[in-house]
Amino acid sequence: GDNGYVATWYDQSGSGHHATQAVLATMPLYVASGQNSKPVLRSEFGNRYLTSSGLQLANENSLLIAWTPTNISDNDIVRYAGHFGSGQLRSIDKKPGIYSSSGSGYHSSAMANGTPYTIFYTFDGNVQVSLSGSNETVTATTPVFTDSDFGIFRAATSGTSPSDMFELVAMSAVATTAQRQAAEAAANAYWSIY
């Protein structure tokens, strides 16, 4: 019911890849009435996030993120393998994509602050990014990410920038176009995104 802090975001698949945070000062906020009057996780600048050491991304995976950015310019949505050291799913100039030493690329469309989105990543030898139904290949290189942090991080700007994350679905296979579209439609219907 009431707003509070989140120590564990439980994996609903049964695989046990829970995301956790043991330190109160770095726990994301639980907001009871967020997107479409449903609960969301709210992360702020650099100090509110959850970590999952079991959830990894590599070729042959897919990932759906539903979120609302605020004051976004240069944000990390999900960080993998030692934060800045290996890679982030992030936005540059408000365009979602991927940043890593082995290949970076971004969607051609920019997001607007305060607007909810689905971002669907497909790792199939290329990296495809679908922004609320508009799918593009952004780079031909897929890095392997391990040990993930879930939250919204400001990579280049100080101050607070709370953004809401309300769903994260990781798939251990490459989603077909029909599967991606079905997942996006389901998220849109539940969260009233677009």
Side-chain angles (χ1 to χ4, degrees):
D2 296 335
N3 296 351
Y5 296 98
V6 178
T8 303
W9 192 4
Y10 290 99
D11 178 3
Q12 301 299 304
S13 73
S15 298
H17 300 313
H18 310 308
T20 61
Q21 178 56 261
V23 180
L24 179 62
T26 52
M27 292 178 184
L29 301 174
Y30 171 88
V31 179
S33 184
Q35 179 65 25
N36 204 22
S37 300
K38 294 177 172 63
V40 301
L41 293 181
R42 180 161 294 164
S43 296
E44 296 177 318
F45 170 71
N47 67 345
R48 296 198 185 275
Y49 60 92
L50 299 168
T51 298
S52 173
S53 60
L55 184 60
Q56 303 178 1
L57 286 180
N59 278 333
E60 318 252 324
N61 286 172
S62 305
L63 182 72
L64 171 89
I65 300 168
W67 77 312
T68 298
T70 49
N71 194 26
I72 181 176
S73 176
D74 184 5
N75 271 15
D76 298 343
I77 303 166
V78 179
R79 299 179 182 182
Y80 283 91
H83 303 272
F84 294 103
S86 296
Q88 303 102 34
L89 306 184
R90 69 188 293 184
S91 64
I92 295 294
D93 297 327
K94 302 183 182 180
K95 299 174 182 179
I98 186 169
Y99 170 83
S100 79
S101 58
S102 58
S104 300
Y106 301 91
H107 199 280
S108 63
S109 298
M111 296 176 285
N113 293 321
T115 300
Y117 293 94
T118 57
I119 304 174
F120 196 103
Y121 287 88
T122 304
F123 304 93
D124 61 356
N126 296 315
V127 178
Q128 298 179 50
V129 177
S130 176
L131 178 61
S132 293
S134 173
N135 194 55
E136 298 178 3
T137 298
V138 299
T139 181
T141 304
T142 302
V144 175
F145 293 151
T146 60
D147 297 336
S148 52
D149 289 343
F150 303 107
I152 311 303
F153 303 88
R154 292 287 292 187
T157 307
S158 60
T160 60
S161 179
S163 297
D164 294 342
M165 182 179 292
F166 21 98
E167 187 166 0
L168 189 144
V169 180
M171 289 155 266
S172 60
V174 174
T176 65
T177 298
Q179 289 168 334
R180 172 181 59 78
Q181 291 172 339
E184 290 169 326
N188 174 47
Y190 187 78
W191 296 105
S192 188
I193 296 173
Y194 62 90

